[in-house]
Amino acid sequence: MKTKSENQPKFMKKAIKLAEKSVVKGGGPFGAVVVKDGVIVAQGHNCVTLHNDPTAHAEVTTIRKACKKLGTFDLSGCEIYTSCEPCPMCLAAIYWAHIDKIYYGCTKEDAKEIGFDDSFIYDQIDLKPEKRSIQAIHFMRKESLEAFRLWNENDNRINY
Ligand SMILES: [Zn+2]
């Protein structure tokens, strides 16, 4: 069930409030909620500095909580409201989680203005791995493929 449009500002306001509370707690100024069938199933905020976890962005934190609550790794049928346009990591997490739709408040340009420059990472993705500022060295492919072979042959695997 899609969120009724009149409820969308309510969910975004919640994400914004979580972002504001995060600042007070010592986290980054980002909040998010995951909504399913018009109900908030999880809410979260940035915990990078609070948990010493560079992956603890608001969206990732909230996706983890939503998956735990719903007992699934697949958030199809869910929507995410985030106080800021997702960074590349969070955007990828949203895709991996199969979330249906993203609503965002601030833009990545707004985030850049206060020191959160993820446009830099977006630009890096377009470069060849060896041209990126963090160099990626490709080696031992043959040995690495063994895990893929095991996966392919595993009839009990859970595709995601
Ligand atoms: Zn992020």
Side-chain angles (χ1 to χ4, degrees):
M1 187 176 79
K2 291 279 170 277
T3 304
K4 291 192 179 106
S5 59
E6 65 263 30
N7 284 331
Q8 291 164 359
K10 182 179 78 178
F11 297 135
M12 184 56 84
K13 277 181 194 163
K14 182 70 186 173
I16 294 165
K17 192 54 83 183
L18 287 160
E20 292 171 0
K21 281 187 183 167
S22 181
V23 175
V24 176
K25 284 190 200 171
F30 306 95
V33 297
V34 168
V35 173
K36 186 173 191 184
D37 299 332
V39 177
I40 293 176
V41 293
Q43 60 182 52
H45 63 86
N46 179 291
C47 294
V48 171
T49 52
L50 293 170
H51 296 169
N52 289 326
D53 179 354
T55 69
H57 288 193
E59 298 92 325
V60 169
T61 301
T62 308
I63 286 169
R64 285 178 183 153
K65 285 185 184 176
C67 288
K68 194 168 189 181
K69 179 153 185 199
L70 297 174
T72 177
F73 50 79
D74 184 346
L75 296 180
S76 297
C78 294
E79 299 173 331
I80 190 163
Y81 291 75
T82 174
S83 64
C84 185
E85 189 172 355
C87 76
M89 174 180 71
C90 292
L91 185 65
I94 289 163
Y95 272 87
W96 280 114
H98 306 291
I99 288 174
D100 289 3
K101 199 178 240 183
I102 303 165
Y103 298 90
Y104 65 95
C106 301
T107 66
K108 58 179 186 278
E109 289 78 18
D110 295 329
K112 185 177 181 176
E113 276 188 28
I114 59 157
F116 297 98
D117 186 7
D118 54 18
S119 62
F120 167 73
I121 305 172
Y122 276 105
D123 293 343
Q124 289 281 304
I125 292 169
D126 289 337
L127 299 175
K128 286 191 186 309
E130 64 275 15
K131 297 285 182 196
R132 294 178 189 148
S133 66
I134 298 177
Q135 200 181 13
I137 311 296
H138 178 211
F139 81 124
M140 293 186 71
R141 177 170 180 257
K142 189 166 164 275
E143 294 85 342
S144 302
L145 281 169
E146 179 60 13
F148 284 9
R149 191 188 63 75
L150 291 169
W151 168 263
N152 251 341
E153 289 176 357
N154 180 7
D155 294 332
N156 297 320
R157 70 173 185 257
I158 301 166
N159 291 314
Y160 60 93

